[in-house]
Amino acid sequence: MFSSIFYKKEVQDLLKKVVDNPRYNDKKKKDSINYEKFSGLEQPFFLLFDTLIKYQIIIGDEEYLADFVHHLDLLWHKIDNFHDINLGVCKILVKFCAKKLGYKTAVEEHRQEILEYIYKQYIVEGYLYHGISDVYIDSIRENGFIPQKYDNFYCRFEELQKKYSSFWKEMDFKHHFVSFTDDFVMACYYATYSPIYFSSFLCPPSPKKLEINSYAKRDYIGCFKGLHQILREKNINEEDGKKIENLCNDEWKLLCQSQSVPTIMLVKRQYFSKNQIQRISDILNDKETDISLLASQIMDNKLDGLSWDKIIPKEQIEFVQIPYSQFIVEKEETKVEIVLPTIRLEEQSEDGKVSFLVLLGSLLITLGVLVSIVTLYR
């Protein structure tokens, strides 16, 4: 239900503008929360996804969607920083709440009713979020969500972690809880890089973070070129290097990562007894502060994070898939499509390693095909 909004024509058109036009994606970041985590197009995309989900939860009426997206288009085009864009989003949401409630020209006269409605929809009846790999959706729909009980290779990761403590040092493969958040922007981030221990190892965070991450692009070759460089820099011996390459290749295939779509699990706040915020009566009864700022206090009242280690029944769970990877990967539809040969495991390797000789051969084959195409059309 929630994902459908991302595939409406007007929304798809706006997402394309965010990709192609610097007026929509080149914004000042430093006044925004967690700005240092984001690179490339992540922040403008994730903030837009957050806004659209808020619309779905609070408004949920397709009648107003085209007009709502038009207002977002103007906002993303005009404002040059994410902090003010977020405030603008709150103003737009208040305006459309008033429309939905029938208060088209008397917003201030009905400020308490509008704020109560936002609080009811977004907090009392709202959701907490957890990013997952989409390969687990079917299992969760069938069995519910059991924290940390994924089909995984934790034992193999642990074995290497014990020997090389600097690898996966931030991941405790034995803990039995996961974290939920009420910040959809961060949920998008975690969904894009899920599982974090794996993406952080293949593509370690960079202080510059100017380019779109190879993991976010679902770029197998880019990720494994980076892995090979990491193994060289850390002087990993050949035997363990093969084990690490093989393990990462197996994990990639297990997650079907080349086709993976960032996926977020939604569970009602009331299931966790987190559907109230402090000082809500003060917010609702405030007659002086701008209503948009009060709405922001409700919608941006963030939890630090909720650790959860209990089974969640399948009936309590919904999913959102965000169309991020499909927009950040360049699609050259007018050119000849060249498919790289599949990088396969060497037959003589007991560990089933990824052969970088095979990778090199694949790249040379591709180069040969490109030269042939150029020669043919000269």
Side-chain angles (χ1 to χ4, degrees):
M1 178 186 75
F2 288 105
S3 299
S4 63
I5 194 171
F6 300 128
Y7 299 95
K8 301 296 183 182
K9 182 183 183 305
E10 52 269 39
V11 173
Q12 291 272 303
D13 289 345
L14 180 53
L15 290 171
K16 289 174 185 175
K17 289 180 182 179
V18 174
V19 172
D20 297 332
N21 193 334
R23 288 292 297 269
Y24 288 81
N25 62 49
D26 188 11
K27 310 293 184 184
K28 297 174 185 176
K29 297 182 176 182
K30 289 193 175 181
D31 288 335
S32 58
I33 298 174
N34 289 318
Y35 74 91
E36 73 282 354
K37 282 185 174 289
F38 304 115
S39 62
L41 297 168
E42 289 171 5
Q43 198 162 7
F45 260 90
F46 294 169
L47 183 55
L48 186 53
F49 293 146
D50 172 69
T51 302
L52 292 166
I53 285 297
K54 283 175 178 171
Y55 179 88
Q56 286 282 72
I57 294 172
I58 297 170
I59 313 295
D61 195 329
E62 195 168 330
E63 175 186 353
Y64 306 115
L65 180 60
D67 191 22
F68 181 77
V69 174
H70 174 67
H71 279 71
L72 298 185
D73 191 318
L74 295 175
L75 182 67
W76 254 254
H77 183 270
K78 180 180 178 181
I79 305 300
D80 70 349
N81 68 88
F82 292 114
H83 179 268
D84 289 343
I85 286 177
N86 195 54
L87 291 177
V89 165
C90 291
K91 288 184 179 180
I92 295 170
L93 283 167
V94 165
K95 177 179 179 178
F96 280 83
C97 279
K99 280 188 177 184
K100 183 176 177 67
L101 295 173
Y103 310 139
K104 296 182 180 180
T105 59
V107 173
E108 280 300 319
E109 294 178 20
H110 299 279
R111 58 189 285 130
Q112 185 168 350
E113 293 97 318
I114 293 169
L115 291 171
E116 286 175 348
Y117 177 78
I118 291 173
Y119 178 67
K120 176 179 180 294
Q121 295 295 110
Y122 195 72
I123 302 296
V124 178
E125 300 293 336
Y127 296 86
L128 297 185
Y129 314 110
H130 176 67
I132 63 169
S133 298
D134 67 353
V135 71
Y136 300 119
I137 289 178
D138 289 343
S139 175
I140 293 172
R141 281 179 171 154
E142 182 178 350
N143 304 307
F145 180 68
I146 308 172
Q148 296 297 2
K149 297 300 181 183
Y150 304 113
D151 184 10
N152 58 54
F153 298 117
Y154 282 180
C155 291
R156 292 167 63 188
F157 278 110
E158 279 188 280
E159 178 186 341
L160 289 166
Q161 187 185 43
K162 289 175 183 176
K163 188 166 187 177
Y164 297 102
S165 59
S166 62
F167 286 0
W168 306 292
K169 58 185 177 181
E170 296 180 358
M171 179 61 185
D172 179 0
F173 293 100
K174 293 186 180 300
H175 71 223
H176 300 292
F177 64 87
V178 298
S179 293
F180 280 83
T181 178
D182 57 356
D183 186 339
F184 195 79
V185 170
M186 292 309 301
C188 290
Y189 174 85
Y190 291 124
T192 300
Y193 291 99
S194 178
I196 296 295
Y197 67 87
F198 187 49
S199 61
S200 296
F201 180 61
L202 285 179
C203 300
S206 165
K208 295 182 179 179
K209 296 201 75 176
L210 299 177
E211 299 297 328
I212 296 172
N213 192 295
S214 293
Y215 195 87
K217 291 193 290 185
R218 306 320 192 216
D219 177 4
Y220 178 90
I221 291 177
C223 285
F224 278 80
K225 282 173 64 178
L227 172 62
H228 196 46
Q229 182 177 344
I230 291 169
L231 296 178
R232 281 203 314 269
E233 291 174 351
K234 292 185 177 291
N235 297 315
I236 305 300
N237 66 57
E238 183 177 356
E239 180 181 355
D240 284 342
K242 291 176 182 177
K243 285 184 178 180
I244 292 169
E245 290 171 6
N246 179 54
L247 172 55
C248 289
N249 182 65
D250 288 348
E251 179 83 351
W252 187 280
K253 290 193 299 182
L254 176 72
L255 298 173
C256 301
Q257 194 61 23
S258 295
Q259 295 80 38
S260 177
V261 178
T263 300
I264 298 166
M265 193 169 69
L266 290 77
V267 180
K268 286 279 191 179
R269 289 172 180 261
Q270 61 190 7
Y271 182 81
F272 304 103
S273 298
K274 296 293 181 180
N275 57 338
Q276 295 181 357
I277 62 176
Q278 294 181 344
R279 296 184 54 253
I280 185 58
S281 59
D282 293 340
I283 295 173
L284 296 177
N285 294 313
D286 188 331
K287 306 298 183 185
E288 304 298 327
T289 307
D290 184 275
I291 186 173
S292 299
L293 293 176
L294 295 174
S296 176
Q297 290 179 35
I298 294 172
M299 291 183 284
D300 295 330
N301 188 289
K302 304 301 183 189
L303 293 170
D304 292 332
L306 174 71
S307 297
W308 192 260
D309 61 358
K310 301 177 180 64
I311 296 174
I312 300 176
K314 60 185 179 181
E315 296 81 10
Q316 299 288 339
I317 300 169
E318 297 184 59
F319 296 95
V320 168
Q321 294 191 291
I322 57 171
Y324 177 57
S325 304
Q326 73 181 67
F327 278 97
I328 64 173
V329 177
E330 293 182 5
K331 293 179 171 34
E332 302 187 18
E333 297 175 353
T334 60
K335 297 183 180 180
V336 177
E337 183 179 1
I338 300 169
V339 181
L340 286 172
T342 303
I343 298 175
R344 57 184 176 80
L345 305 179
E346 287 190 312
E347 293 178 0
Q348 70 272 22
S349 170
E350 293 179 359
D351 293 318
K353 66 172 183 163
V354 175
S355 171
F356 282 90
L357 290 176
V358 175
L359 172 60
L360 178 60
S362 300
L363 294 174
L364 290 174
I365 291 170
T366 303
L367 180 60
V369 174
L370 286 170
V371 171
S372 299
I373 293 172
V374 171
T375 303
L376 180 63
Y377 289 97
R378 286 185 63 180

